[in-house]
Amino acid sequence: SGTRYCAACLNTFANDPPVCPSLACRGAKPVRGWSFLLGPNDIFDRRYHVIRMLAVGGAGITYMARELGSDDQAFGPKLAIKVLFAQRDSGPFLRRLANEAQILQDLRHPNIVECRGFVHRVGSEPYLLTLFEGGGALNDHIDRVGPVPPDVA
């Protein structure tokens, strides 16, 4: 059950076809099977309760979630989990995500999102875990109020 997706073209589907149903893609089903989009109340990596999907990009998907306690109840602050697509879990995409994690850890500052960890285990998609920071995207802010003055930037 759940919504599957083709990481090559980002087409979504409910069934389990041998090839991507997109006529523009028709990519073969990956050896590990199609990946799943997570929805509200799904559990990610047995540790995180998904609240909602935040964004889909060229390398992966970002979810808002909270940690699960030993009683299976969500607790603590909201988190952002950036998960690489299974077909992008090695090479340059993995290096970029690992570099992002390292840079965030090195730049600890109140105005930079806090890195809570980088997870890369055999058999599962790598992910970057940060605190969720609300407020929207910088581009949206610039569209609303104009360019950011140098002293604010």
Side-chain angles (χ1 to χ4, degrees):
S1 68
T3 302
R4 293 172 172 89
Y5 69 87
C6 172
C9 70
L10 301 183
N11 184 44
T12 59
F13 37 91
N15 56 355
D16 191 18
V19 297
C20 176
S22 168
L23 295 177
C25 178
R26 303 301 288 170
K29 179 178 175 179
V31 173
R32 293 191 294 196
W34 301 111
S35 295
F36 284 89
L37 295 176
L38 300 176
N41 299 317
D42 283 342
I43 305 301
F44 176 73
D45 198 20
R46 299 184 311 252
R47 301 184 55 186
Y48 304 102
H49 174 261
V50 173
I51 298 168
R52 65 183 175 97
M53 185 187 311
L54 292 171
V56 177
I61 303 171
T62 303
Y63 298 98
M64 179 193 299
R66 291 179 65 211
E67 195 165 358
L68 285 174
S70 57
D71 59 357
D72 288 333
Q73 296 298 309
F75 72 95
K78 290 178 183 172
L79 303 167
I81 304 173
K82 185 184 283 189
V83 184
L84 286 181
F85 292 132
Q87 288 82 348
R88 305 227 191 334
D89 66 358
S90 62
F93 294 102
L94 177 59
R95 281 192 298 278
R96 269 188 249 151
L97 190 66
N99 287 341
E100 182 178 347
Q102 186 62 55
I103 289 167
L104 286 174
Q105 288 179 336
D106 291 347
L107 291 177
R108 291 187 186 266
H109 186 276
N111 295 338
I112 298 176
V113 69
E114 180 184 322
C115 181
R116 290 288 181 98
F118 173 70
V119 178
H120 181 213
R121 285 192 298 269
V122 174
S124 65
E125 294 93 345
Y127 64 92
L128 172 63
L129 184 67
T130 65
L131 281 181
F132 171 77
E133 296 293 340
L138 178 59
N139 286 342
D140 296 336
H141 175 77
I142 291 171
D143 289 344
R144 273 192 321 275
V145 300
V148 179
D151 60 322
V152 173

